[in-house]
Amino acid sequence: VVPGLLQTADYARIVTEAVAPQWSSGTVTQQVDARLTRQQLLTRQNPPEVQVVLGESVLHRMVGGPAVMQAQLAQLVEMANLPKVTVRMVPYDAGASPAVEGNFNILGFSAPALADLVFIEGLVGDLYLERPADVQAYHKVFGLLLTMALSISETHDFMTKIGSGARKSAS
């Protein structure tokens, strides 16, 4: 799925409902609101640097129908234009992904005393990896993903093209 920091409200709601069907509508709304609040980090004064690598399937998976996907793809393009946000895509023809086991986030901190850590959202709970060897393994996988990914401009062109197709489907 599209990472939470880049999701639209509709996309976030549909994904949250799919992952946690046992949650009440109120709980889903709280989760979506929290996600949208976190997105404000990207447009504040002195935002964090965010690098995202998506698999091509994320752009094709029809979450919520053509109108939701059209808006989500437009949001991805818009967010990728922010000064400290980079979005790159690994195309299908790049081969087997070293991240086949799922999504992960590497959190780096500007304070030298704080070591990087890896955050993995799970179905039954979240996992934080702090051991240097574990974090280094995820850094290596992320580096491999970057070598497989399209350039920033190629990714932008691809997302715009897919978004145009979603617009035609929504019409």
Side-chain angles (χ1 to χ4, degrees):
V1 297
V2 171
L5 279 176
L6 306 179
Q7 291 177 358
T8 64
D10 288 337
Y11 186 99
R13 175 169 292 286
I14 292 162
V15 167
T16 302
E17 289 171 345
V19 170
Q22 74 279 11
W23 286 358
S24 69
S25 177
T27 300
V28 170
T29 297
Q30 287 175 336
Q31 292 294 315
V32 171
D33 289 347
R35 186 162 288 174
L36 298 178
T37 298
R38 282 192 298 272
Q39 287 178 4
Q40 295 172 9
L41 291 170
L42 302 178
T43 56
R44 73 177 187 194
Q45 190 81 10
N46 194 23
E49 182 179 336
V50 176
Q51 293 185 59
V52 175
V53 178
L54 303 171
E56 182 176 345
S57 63
V58 170
L59 305 179
H60 293 290
R61 184 169 314 283
M62 192 58 60
V63 173
V68 171
M69 283 309 296
Q70 176 186 353
Q72 182 57 70
L73 290 166
Q75 169 104 339
L76 276 172
V77 170
E78 181 181 330
M79 298 298 254
N81 287 325
L82 292 173
K84 292 204 175 180
V85 176
T86 303
V87 178
R88 305 222 359 234
M89 184 200 69
V90 176
Y92 287 138
D93 63 7
S97 171
V100 73
E101 292 187 14
N103 300 335
F104 62 91
N105 298 284
I106 301 172
L107 306 174
F109 304 96
S110 58
L114 296 174
D116 291 358
L117 61 94
V118 175
F119 169 68
I120 303 168
E121 271 184 290
L123 186 58
V124 294
D126 300 332
L127 179 63
Y128 290 89
L129 303 176
E130 299 179 34
R131 285 186 356 177
D134 296 338
V135 173
Q136 185 56 37
Y138 278 90
H139 271 292
K140 184 174 181 176
V141 167
F142 191 75
L144 290 170
L145 290 169
L146 288 173
T147 66
M148 298 171 73
L150 298 177
S151 70
I152 294 168
S153 63
E154 289 170 327
T155 298
H156 181 276
D157 292 347
F158 192 90
M159 289 189 304
T160 302
K161 179 181 171 189
I162 296 294
S164 296
R167 275 194 294 281
K168 290 176 187 168
S169 298
S171 303

